Amino acid sequence: MKNGTVEVYDRAYRTMIRDWVLRDLMFGGGRDTSELQEMLAHAGVNPHYAFPAVALFDPGAGKQDDNRRAVKLRETLEGRAPDGAEVFANGAGQIGLLFSRSASDELESLRRESEAALRGPVSVGVGNSCSRLTDIRLSYEQAQAALRHKFYRGTNRVIRYAQVPPSHALREYPLKRELELARRIPKLEDEEAIARDVSGFYRELLQDGPIEIDHIYELTIRLLAGVENRLTPDEQEDGGRIRHEIVPILRMETLEEIERFVSGYFADLREEFHRREREKDVRRSVIQQTIVYMEAECRHATLDSVARRVYMTPTYLSMLFRANTGRTFIEQLTDIRINKAKEMLRSTCLKNYEVAEKVGYRDSRYFSQIFKKKVGLSPSEYRESVTG
């Protein structure tokens, strides 16, 4: 048992040394051939490669935690790696493979076997082969760049640096497309239709080829905030919903995942927009009904009496009235009373105090003051001006 424990520790120590040497080779560089061979010999690493290259295997996220997936991935690669290839952990959750160019065709089968072992997606980035091992750092950096390109190509595949197109600067943010999306979303029938429009937005972004991935995150957040601001403007005082989604967006690994999220987000905004429109229709109906009551019963109408007729509290009706008309309840009632008074002064022979009483003013002097303030003439002057 003791010998077995020693053997386990010895194996772990050798693995640690090999990883350290290989990471130093990938990250450090600049060593001469003799120094490099001495390091590799100390770690038990094959120093002889015909056109060496690096592949990085990414276990992605799964039901297991990332560390367990990385350990499982390493065990799988160590059991199936081509002869002479070296497996190492790069310290960033990925497993590297140092191999000769002749083994390049085996990478896809290695990826499939790793996928089966982990029961989840495994992506592979592959750097170009080098003429000598001292230049392997370049291949490692290319493998990292190729692996990042899974953002565009999707996970669960082998991506070779030689096939990755160069990134370019975005010429101009497609603001017209954003405005069109905000206009169309409330009219679209389902999430599939929204998804098509969202894909169109990203196609326009990428019409000249891929752009830096960080820019995609920034532009996505700008798009979501812009559309949300137009569909639910009253939520923007506290930053809106998007402020809660920024971190999850930045953790998304592929453009496909981002597009799927954006489509769902816009579908939720569409439902929220329609819900608010229905509420506005209800509120407009209540206000219209309120005004009808005020006109029919202006002589005795009060905020309390009208609120009872529309089954609301006076406070809420007052707030609703102001929010939907821009005027207070009293301002509206006063206009109704003055308009009815003008009609009576034009078409009847009622005395001024009788007109005042019929439209709800018991004090005829107060009625005259309000009338002159609104019309610019006293009741008697107004009657004379319209009757000749």
Side-chain angles (χ1 to χ4, degrees):
M1 186 69 175
K2 187 178 251 186
N3 289 338
T5 303
V6 171
E7 184 178 343
V8 168
Y9 280 126
D10 188 49
R11 186 164 60 248
Y13 174 76
R14 289 198 304 270
T15 298
M16 181 183 68
I17 292 298
R18 188 164 60 250
D19 281 356
W20 181 84
V21 168
L22 288 170
R23 282 201 294 265
D24 182 78
L25 180 64
M26 303 301 161
F27 307 152
R31 299 186 183 278
D32 59 36
T33 303
S34 60
E35 184 181 9
L36 175 62
Q37 288 182 346
E38 183 179 346
M39 284 178 55
L40 296 178
H42 178 71
V45 175
N46 172 28
H48 304 294
Y49 285 88
F51 300 103
V54 175
L56 283 176
F57 287 70
D58 185 357
K63 294 181 180 179
Q64 300 171 301
D65 64 81
D66 292 345
N67 185 59
R68 290 177 60 191
R69 287 176 62 81
V71 169
K72 181 68 173 177
L73 176 58
R74 179 173 192 152
E75 291 173 351
T76 303
L77 292 175
E78 286 177 336
R80 295 171 172 80
D83 291 341
E86 292 290 344
V87 177
F88 64 96
N90 73 344
Q94 298 153 349
I95 304 301
L97 183 71
L98 173 63
F99 63 98
S100 294
R101 184 170 64 185
S102 58
S104 180
D105 293 340
E106 300 180 41
L107 294 176
E108 176 56 33
S109 63
L110 273 176
R111 191 206 61 77
R112 287 197 300 266
E113 290 173 5
S114 299
E115 176 191 355
L118 271 64
R119 298 181 180 178
V122 174
S123 305
V124 185
V126 187
N128 294 336
S129 57
C130 306
S131 58
R132 53 185 183 174
L133 199 54
T134 50
D135 297 328
I136 200 63
R137 177 179 181 179
L138 177 60
S139 181
Y140 178 83
E141 292 172 350
Q142 292 171 342
Q144 286 181 311
L147 193 53
R148 284 195 296 272
H149 201 68
K150 72 179 180 181
F151 182 85
Y152 290 112
R153 295 277 297 276
T155 57
N156 226 26
R157 62 185 66 213
V158 174
I159 305 170
R160 300 179 185 276
Y161 180 78
Q163 300 169 345
V164 173
S167 297
H168 73 284
L170 180 65
R171 291 184 303 179
E172 183 180 7
Y173 177 76
L175 180 59
K176 289 184 179 178
R177 175 74 76 163
E178 176 194 302
L179 298 175
E180 179 70 6
L181 267 172
R183 185 186 67 81
R184 283 174 51 82
I185 283 171
K187 303 174 184 179
L188 297 174
E189 295 182 357
D190 52 42
E191 194 165 334
E192 288 187 7
I194 293 175
R196 287 193 292 272
D197 275 28
V198 168
S199 292
F201 174 86
Y202 284 100
R203 280 197 303 273
E204 186 163 334
L205 273 183
L206 303 172
Q207 60 183 328
D208 296 327
I211 62 178
E212 289 295 331
I213 295 170
D214 286 346
H215 291 171
I216 292 290
Y217 293 128
E218 294 168 8
L219 296 170
T220 295
I221 293 168
R222 176 176 175 178
L223 170 66
L224 293 174
V227 173
E228 180 180 355
N229 184 50
R230 288 173 176 82
L231 294 186
T232 56
D234 52 335
E235 283 192 359
Q236 300 313 306
E237 290 185 3
D238 64 351
R241 295 171 63 239
I242 183 59
R243 66 192 179 94
H244 301 292
E245 305 293 353
I246 291 176
V247 172
I249 290 170
L250 296 178
R251 290 175 177 167
M252 293 177 185
E253 294 187 327
T254 66
L255 180 59
E256 180 183 2
E257 188 178 359
I258 286 179
E259 287 191 19
R260 197 161 51 241
F261 174 85
V262 171
S263 299
Y265 195 91
F266 284 166
D268 290 344
L269 282 182
R270 180 194 59 184
E271 294 305 312
E272 179 68 10
F273 175 84
H274 288 313
R275 183 186 68 78
R276 288 166 181 263
E277 289 300 303
R278 289 192 296 269
E279 289 179 354
K280 287 180 183 177
D281 289 342
V282 171
R283 290 195 294 267
R284 282 192 288 264
S285 176
V286 169
I287 297 304
Q288 290 169 359
Q289 190 178 4
T290 298
I291 292 173
V292 168
Y293 288 146
M294 293 166 73
E295 290 178 339
E297 304 172 6
C298 72
R299 183 175 183 176
H300 303 292
T302 65
L303 179 59
D304 286 351
S305 67
V306 174
R308 285 194 297 271
R309 296 293 297 269
V310 294
Y311 307 102
M312 289 184 176
T313 65
T315 301
Y316 184 70
L317 179 61
S318 177
M319 180 273 294
L320 196 64
F321 205 95
R322 183 72 175 258
N324 285 269
T325 67
R327 317 179 71 205
T328 67
F329 178 89
I330 294 300
E331 288 172 342
Q332 181 70 38
L333 180 58
T334 299
D335 282 354
I336 290 173
R337 285 173 168 173
I338 295 302
N339 286 334
K340 285 188 176 292
K342 288 165 66 177
E343 182 182 345
M344 291 181 188
L345 291 169
R346 286 196 306 267
S347 59
T348 73
C349 295
L350 293 172
K351 302 294 185 181
N352 288 352
Y353 73 88
E354 292 176 315
V355 171
E357 186 175 321
K358 284 185 176 296
V359 297
Y361 293 102
R362 294 180 181 179
D363 186 335
S364 60
R365 285 181 299 178
Y366 179 66
F367 164 68
S368 295
Q369 292 172 359
I370 295 296
F371 191 95
K372 187 165 186 177
K373 183 178 180 181
K374 290 287 185 180
V375 180
L377 301 170
S378 70
S380 297
E381 291 170 338
Y382 178 78
R383 190 196 296 268
E384 188 176 332
S385 70
V386 296
T387 59

